[in-house]
PDB file of all heavy atoms in Angstrom:
ATOM      1  N   ILE A 153       5.676   6.892 -11.867  1.00 93.00           N
ATOM      2  CA  ILE A 153       6.134   5.887 -10.924  1.00 93.00           C
ATOM      3  C   ILE A 153       5.247   5.746  -9.698  1.00 93.00           C
ATOM      4  O   ILE A 153       4.855   6.796  -9.163  1.00 93.00           O
ATOM      5  CB  ILE A 153       7.527   6.206 -10.426  1.00 93.00           C
ATOM      6  CG1 ILE A 153       8.512   6.228 -11.585  1.00 93.00           C
ATOM      7  CG2 ILE A 153       8.148   5.155  -9.420  1.00 93.00           C
ATOM      8  CD1 ILE A 153       9.991   6.800 -11.282  1.00 93.00           C
ATOM      9  N   ARG A 154       4.818   4.532  -9.416  1.00 93.00           N
ATOM     10  CA  ARG A 154       3.837   4.431  -8.269  1.00 93.00           C
ATOM     11  C   ARG A 154       4.180   3.354  -7.360  1.00 93.00           C
ATOM     12  O   ARG A 154       4.680   2.197  -7.700  1.00 93.00           O
ATOM     13  CB  ARG A 154       2.447   4.039  -8.999  1.00 93.00           C
ATOM     14  CG  ARG A 154       1.443   3.773  -7.883  1.00 93.00           C
ATOM     15  CD  ARG A 154       0.032   3.618  -8.582  1.00 93.00           C
ATOM     16  NE  ARG A 154      -0.415   5.017  -8.793  1.00 93.00           N
ATOM     17  CZ  ARG A 154      -1.436   5.276  -9.581  1.00 93.00           C
ATOM     18  NH1 ARG A 154      -2.149   4.261 -10.056  1.00 93.00           N
ATOM     19  NH2 ARG A 154      -1.835   6.576  -9.741  1.00 93.00           N
ATOM     20  N   LEU A 155       4.119   3.745  -6.010  1.00 95.00           N
ATOM     21  CA  LEU A 155       4.133   2.792  -4.973  1.00 95.00           C
ATOM     22  C   LEU A 155       2.764   2.369  -4.527  1.00 95.00           C
ATOM     23  O   LEU A 155       2.093   3.040  -4.009  1.00 95.00           O
ATOM     24  CB  LEU A 155       4.847   3.255  -3.697  1.00 95.00           C
ATOM     25  CG  LEU A 155       4.967   2.484  -2.549  1.00 95.00           C
ATOM     26  CD1 LEU A 155       5.764   1.073  -2.855  1.00 95.00           C
ATOM     27  CD2 LEU A 155       5.590   3.016  -1.316  1.00 95.00           C
ATOM     28  N   LYS A 156       2.275   1.150  -5.065  1.00 94.00           N
ATOM     29  CA  LYS A 156       0.840   0.824  -5.064  1.00 94.00           C
ATOM     30  C   LYS A 156       0.516  -0.029  -3.752  1.00 94.00           C
ATOM     31  O   LYS A 156      -0.411   0.231  -3.102  1.00 94.00           O
ATOM     32  CB  LYS A 156       0.471   0.048  -6.235  1.00 94.00           C
ATOM     33  CG  LYS A 156      -0.927   0.001  -6.486  1.00 94.00           C
ATOM     34  CD  LYS A 156      -1.332  -0.367  -7.840  1.00 94.00           C
ATOM     35  CE  LYS A 156      -2.840  -0.155  -8.120  1.00 94.00           C
ATOM     36  NZ  LYS A 156      -3.111  -0.321  -9.522  1.00 94.00           N
ATOM     37  N   ASN A 157       1.366  -1.054  -3.414  1.00 97.00           N
ATOM     38  CA  ASN A 157       1.071  -1.911  -2.320  1.00 97.00           C
ATOM     39  C   ASN A 157       2.338  -2.129  -1.472  1.00 97.00           C
ATOM     40  O   ASN A 157       3.454  -2.320  -2.135  1.00 97.00           O
ATOM     41  CB  ASN A 157       0.472  -3.270  -2.633  1.00 97.00           C
ATOM     42  CG  ASN A 157      -0.829  -3.186  -3.327  1.00 97.00           C
ATOM     43  OD1 ASN A 157      -1.651  -2.459  -2.769  1.00 97.00           O
ATOM     44  ND2 ASN A 157      -0.951  -3.824  -4.416  1.00 97.00           N
ATOM     45  N   ILE A 158       2.194  -2.088  -0.227  1.00 97.00           N
ATOM     46  CA  ILE A 158       3.390  -2.467   0.685  1.00 97.00           C
ATOM     47  C   ILE A 158       2.808  -3.214   1.942  1.00 97.00           C
ATOM     48  O   ILE A 158       1.802  -2.908   2.465  1.00 97.00           O
ATOM     49  CB  ILE A 158       4.245  -1.257   1.041  1.00 97.00           C
ATOM     50  CG1 ILE A 158       5.650  -1.770   1.780  1.00 97.00           C
ATOM     51  CG2 ILE A 158       3.492  -0.319   1.964  1.00 97.00           C
ATOM     52  CD1 ILE A 158       6.610  -0.682   1.867  1.00 97.00           C
ATOM     53  N   GLN A 181       0.053  -2.381   6.567  1.00 98.00           N
ATOM     54  CA  GLN A 181      -0.124  -2.549   5.122  1.00 98.00           C
ATOM     55  C   GLN A 181      -0.652  -1.193   4.569  1.00 98.00           C
ATOM     56  O   GLN A 181      -1.350  -0.445   5.233  1.00 98.00           O
ATOM     57  CB  GLN A 181      -1.182  -3.608   4.831  1.00 98.00           C
ATOM     58  CG  GLN A 181      -1.614  -3.763   3.426  1.00 98.00           C
ATOM     59  CD  GLN A 181      -2.600  -4.880   3.224  1.00 98.00           C
ATOM     60  OE1 GLN A 181      -2.975  -5.471   4.136  1.00 98.00           O
ATOM     61  NE2 GLN A 181      -2.981  -5.125   1.973  1.00 98.00           N
ATOM     62  N   GLY A 182      -0.253  -0.804   3.419  1.00 97.00           N
ATOM     63  CA  GLY A 182      -0.642   0.362   2.695  1.00 97.00           C
ATOM     64  C   GLY A 182      -0.923   0.119   1.292  1.00 97.00           C
ATOM     65  O   GLY A 182      -0.260  -0.752   0.703  1.00 97.00           O
ATOM     66  N   GLN A 183      -1.889   0.806   0.796  1.00 96.00           N
ATOM     67  CA  GLN A 183      -2.284   0.811  -0.731  1.00 96.00           C
ATOM     68  C   GLN A 183      -2.423   2.148  -1.202  1.00 96.00           C
ATOM     69  O   GLN A 183      -2.752   3.054  -0.604  1.00 96.00           O
ATOM     70  CB  GLN A 183      -3.548   0.079  -0.911  1.00 96.00           C
ATOM     71  CG  GLN A 183      -3.536  -1.318  -0.463  1.00 96.00           C
ATOM     72  CD  GLN A 183      -4.879  -2.076  -0.630  1.00 96.00           C
ATOM     73  OE1 GLN A 183      -5.880  -1.508  -0.834  1.00 96.00           O
ATOM     74  NE2 GLN A 183      -4.867  -3.407  -0.548  1.00 96.00           N
ATOM     75  N   SER A 184      -1.932   2.288  -2.440  1.00 93.00           N
ATOM     76  CA  SER A 184      -1.959   3.576  -3.196  1.00 93.00           C
ATOM     77  C   SER A 184      -1.264   4.665  -2.484  1.00 93.00           C
ATOM     78  O   SER A 184      -1.796   5.735  -2.219  1.00 93.00           O
ATOM     79  CB  SER A 184      -3.425   4.056  -3.600  1.00 93.00           C
ATOM     80  OG  SER A 184      -4.051   3.057  -4.468  1.00 93.00           O
ATOM     81  N   LEU A 185       0.035   4.380  -2.077  1.00 93.00           N
ATOM     82  CA  LEU A 185       0.785   5.374  -1.110  1.00 93.00           C
ATOM     83  C   LEU A 185       1.398   6.513  -1.814  1.00 93.00           C
ATOM     84  O   LEU A 185       1.429   7.631  -1.315  1.00 93.00           O
ATOM     85  CB  LEU A 185       1.707   4.540  -0.422  1.00 93.00           C
ATOM     86  CG  LEU A 185       1.197   3.390   0.514  1.00 93.00           C
ATOM     87  CD1 LEU A 185       2.405   2.593   1.099  1.00 93.00           C
ATOM     88  CD2 LEU A 185       0.382   3.957   1.501  1.00 93.00           C
ATOM     89  N   LEU A 186       2.022   6.267  -3.056  1.00 92.00           N
ATOM     90  CA  LEU A 186       2.800   7.423  -3.647  1.00 92.00           C
ATOM     91  C   LEU A 186       2.690   7.362  -5.157  1.00 92.00           C
ATOM     92  O   LEU A 186       2.859   6.215  -5.657  1.00 92.00           O
ATOM     93  CB  LEU A 186       4.203   7.258  -3.185  1.00 92.00           C
ATOM     94  CG  LEU A 186       5.230   8.203  -3.728  1.00 92.00           C
ATOM     95  CD1 LEU A 186       4.970   9.605  -3.280  1.00 92.00           C
ATOM     96  CD2 LEU A 186       6.600   7.783  -3.316  1.00 92.00           C
ATOM     97  N   THR A 187       2.515   8.458  -5.785  1.00 90.00           N
ATOM     98  CA  THR A 187       2.519   8.516  -7.270  1.00 90.00           C
ATOM     99  C   THR A 187       3.389   9.741  -7.657  1.00 90.00           C
ATOM    100  O   THR A 187       3.184  10.823  -7.140  1.00 90.00           O
ATOM    101  CB  THR A 187       1.191   8.728  -7.923  1.00 90.00           C
ATOM    102  OG1 THR A 187       0.320   7.539  -7.474  1.00 90.00           O
ATOM    103  CG2 THR A 187       1.251   8.731  -9.358  1.00 90.00           C
ATOM    104  N   ILE A 188       4.432   9.477  -8.409  1.00 91.00           N
ATOM    105  CA  ILE A 188       5.284  10.624  -8.904  1.00 91.00           C
ATOM    106  C   ILE A 188       5.122  10.743 -10.390  1.00 91.00           C
ATOM    107  O   ILE A 188       5.291   9.766 -11.211  1.00 91.00           O
ATOM    108  CB  ILE A 188       6.793  10.241  -8.562  1.00 91.00           C
ATOM    109  CG1 ILE A 188       7.033  10.099  -7.168  1.00 91.00           C
ATOM    110  CG2 ILE A 188       7.759  11.276  -9.205  1.00 91.00           C
ATOM    111  CD1 ILE A 188       8.386   9.521  -6.746  1.00 91.00           C
ATOM    112  N   PHE A 194      -5.455  13.803 -11.908  1.00 84.00           N
ATOM    113  CA  PHE A 194      -5.347  13.129 -10.584  1.00 84.00           C
ATOM    114  C   PHE A 194      -4.599  11.717 -10.789  1.00 84.00           C
ATOM    115  O   PHE A 194      -3.632  11.459  -9.991  1.00 84.00           O
ATOM    116  CB  PHE A 194      -6.695  12.855  -9.965  1.00 84.00           C
ATOM    117  CG  PHE A 194      -7.244  14.055  -9.315  1.00 84.00           C
ATOM    118  CD1 PHE A 194      -8.424  14.548  -9.933  1.00 84.00           C
ATOM    119  CD2 PHE A 194      -6.621  14.620  -8.240  1.00 84.00           C
ATOM    120  CE1 PHE A 194      -8.954  15.722  -9.264  1.00 84.00           C
ATOM    121  CE2 PHE A 194      -7.278  15.789  -7.616  1.00 84.00           C
ATOM    122  CZ  PHE A 194      -8.407  16.332  -8.205  1.00 84.00           C
ATOM    123  N   ASP A 195      -4.892  10.976 -11.733  1.00 86.00           N
ATOM    124  CA  ASP A 195      -4.414   9.571 -11.832  1.00 86.00           C
ATOM    125  C   ASP A 195      -3.961   9.345 -13.297  1.00 86.00           C
ATOM    126  O   ASP A 195      -4.872   9.161 -14.254  1.00 86.00           O
ATOM    127  CB  ASP A 195      -5.379   8.535 -11.332  1.00 86.00           C
ATOM    128  CG  ASP A 195      -4.785   7.194 -11.340  1.00 86.00           C
ATOM    129  OD1 ASP A 195      -3.677   6.873 -11.498  1.00 86.00           O
ATOM    130  OD2 ASP A 195      -5.616   6.257 -11.106  1.00 86.00           O
ATOM    131  N   MET A 202     -11.145  11.391  -9.967  1.00 86.00           N
ATOM    132  CA  MET A 202     -10.709  11.357  -8.559  1.00 86.00           C
ATOM    133  C   MET A 202      -9.493  10.684  -8.396  1.00 86.00           C
ATOM    134  O   MET A 202      -9.189   9.643  -9.093  1.00 86.00           O
ATOM    135  CB  MET A 202     -11.822  10.802  -7.848  1.00 86.00           C
ATOM    136  CG  MET A 202     -13.194  11.486  -7.804  1.00 86.00           C
ATOM    137  SD  MET A 202     -13.202  13.024  -7.048  1.00 86.00           S
ATOM    138  CE  MET A 202     -12.990  12.596  -5.337  1.00 86.00           C
ATOM    139  N   PRO A 203      -8.692  11.062  -7.355  1.00 85.00           N
ATOM    140  CA  PRO A 203      -7.410  10.312  -7.213  1.00 85.00           C
ATOM    141  C   PRO A 203      -7.687   8.967  -6.646  1.00 85.00           C
ATOM    142  O   PRO A 203      -8.799   8.731  -5.960  1.00 85.00           O
ATOM    143  CB  PRO A 203      -6.725  11.190  -6.099  1.00 85.00           C
ATOM    144  CG  PRO A 203      -7.812  11.991  -5.483  1.00 85.00           C
ATOM    145  CD  PRO A 203      -8.849  12.242  -6.489  1.00 85.00           C
ATOM    146  N   PRO A 204      -6.786   8.027  -6.559  1.00 87.00           N
ATOM    147  CA  PRO A 204      -7.047   6.708  -6.085  1.00 87.00           C
ATOM    148  C   PRO A 204      -7.170   6.801  -4.536  1.00 87.00           C
ATOM    149  O   PRO A 204      -6.509   7.612  -3.903  1.00 87.00           O
ATOM    150  CB  PRO A 204      -5.855   5.881  -6.465  1.00 87.00           C
ATOM    151  CG  PRO A 204      -4.876   6.847  -6.972  1.00 87.00           C
ATOM    152  CD  PRO A 204      -5.521   8.037  -7.326  1.00 87.00           C
ATOM    153  N   LEU A 205      -7.923   5.932  -3.933  1.00 92.00           N
ATOM    154  CA  LEU A 205      -8.097   5.936  -2.512  1.00 92.00           C
ATOM    155  C   LEU A 205      -6.904   5.390  -1.828  1.00 92.00           C
ATOM    156  O   LEU A 205      -6.386   4.351  -2.146  1.00 92.00           O
ATOM    157  CB  LEU A 205      -9.387   5.056  -2.149  1.00 92.00           C
ATOM    158  CG  LEU A 205      -9.614   4.916  -0.642  1.00 92.00           C
ATOM    159  CD1 LEU A 205     -10.121   6.243  -0.210  1.00 92.00           C
ATOM    160  CD2 LEU A 205     -10.772   3.911  -0.502  1.00 92.00           C
ATOM    161  N   ARG A 206      -6.377   6.136  -0.853  1.00 94.00           N
ATOM    162  CA  ARG A 206      -5.137   5.743  -0.076  1.00 94.00           C
ATOM    163  C   ARG A 206      -5.668   4.997   1.225  1.00 94.00           C
ATOM    164  O   ARG A 206      -6.554   5.591   1.828  1.00 94.00           O
ATOM    165  CB  ARG A 206      -4.377   6.935   0.288  1.00 94.00           C
ATOM    166  CG  ARG A 206      -3.084   6.561   1.027  1.00 94.00           C
ATOM    167  CD  ARG A 206      -2.245   7.844   1.271  1.00 94.00           C
ATOM    168  NE  ARG A 206      -1.731   8.322  -0.105  1.00 94.00           N
ATOM    169  CZ  ARG A 206      -1.484   9.615  -0.404  1.00 94.00           C
ATOM    170  NH1 ARG A 206      -1.514  10.502   0.581  1.00 94.00           N
ATOM    171  NH2 ARG A 206      -1.051   9.948  -1.597  1.00 94.00           N
ATOM    172  N   GLN A 207      -5.111   3.829   1.469  1.00 97.00           N
ATOM    173  CA  GLN A 207      -5.621   3.016   2.562  1.00 97.00           C
ATOM    174  C   GLN A 207      -4.443   2.572   3.412  1.00 97.00           C
ATOM    175  O   GLN A 207      -3.413   2.040   2.851  1.00 97.00           O
ATOM    176  CB  GLN A 207      -6.390   1.825   2.086  1.00 97.00           C
ATOM    177  CG  GLN A 207      -6.924   0.969   3.054  1.00 97.00           C
ATOM    178  CD  GLN A 207      -7.807  -0.181   2.435  1.00 97.00           C
ATOM    179  OE1 GLN A 207      -8.034  -0.160   1.293  1.00 97.00           O
ATOM    180  NE2 GLN A 207      -8.200  -1.151   3.227  1.00 97.00           N
ATOM    181  N   TYR A 208      -4.500   2.597   4.745  1.00 97.00           N
ATOM    182  CA  TYR A 208      -3.614   2.131   5.711  1.00 97.00           C
ATOM    183  C   TYR A 208      -4.357   1.031   6.609  1.00 97.00           C
ATOM    184  O   TYR A 208      -5.547   1.335   7.096  1.00 97.00           O
ATOM    185  CB  TYR A 208      -3.142   3.148   6.589  1.00 97.00           C
ATOM    186  CG  TYR A 208      -2.409   4.329   5.789  1.00 97.00           C
ATOM    187  CD1 TYR A 208      -3.017   5.502   5.534  1.00 97.00           C
ATOM    188  CD2 TYR A 208      -1.145   4.198   5.375  1.00 97.00           C
ATOM    189  CE1 TYR A 208      -2.503   6.467   4.806  1.00 97.00           C
ATOM    190  CE2 TYR A 208      -0.463   5.198   4.609  1.00 97.00           C
ATOM    191  CZ  TYR A 208      -1.237   6.388   4.378  1.00 97.00           C
ATOM    192  OH  TYR A 208      -0.639   7.382   3.639  1.00 97.00           O
ATOM    193  N   VAL A 209      -3.641   0.007   6.937  1.00 98.00           N
ATOM    194  CA  VAL A 209      -4.127  -1.049   7.851  1.00 98.00           C
ATOM    195  C   VAL A 209      -3.035  -1.444   8.810  1.00 98.00           C
ATOM    196  O   VAL A 209      -1.893  -1.681   8.284  1.00 98.00           O
ATOM    197  CB  VAL A 209      -4.660  -2.248   7.056  1.00 98.00           C
ATOM    198  CG1 VAL A 209      -5.216  -3.387   7.939  1.00 98.00           C
ATOM    199  CG2 VAL A 209      -5.837  -1.903   6.165  1.00 98.00           C
TER     200      VAL A 209
END
Side-chain angles (χ1 to χ4, degrees):
I153 297 173
R154 174 171 284 168
L155 177 60
K156 198 161 190 172
N157 295 312
I158 190 166
Q181 177 182 359
Q183 295 179 346
S184 299
L185 299 177
L186 176 68
T187 302
I188 300 171
F194 284 112
D195 188 5
M202 297 294 292
L205 180 66
R206 186 173 293 154
Q207 181 177 351
Y208 301 99
V209 178

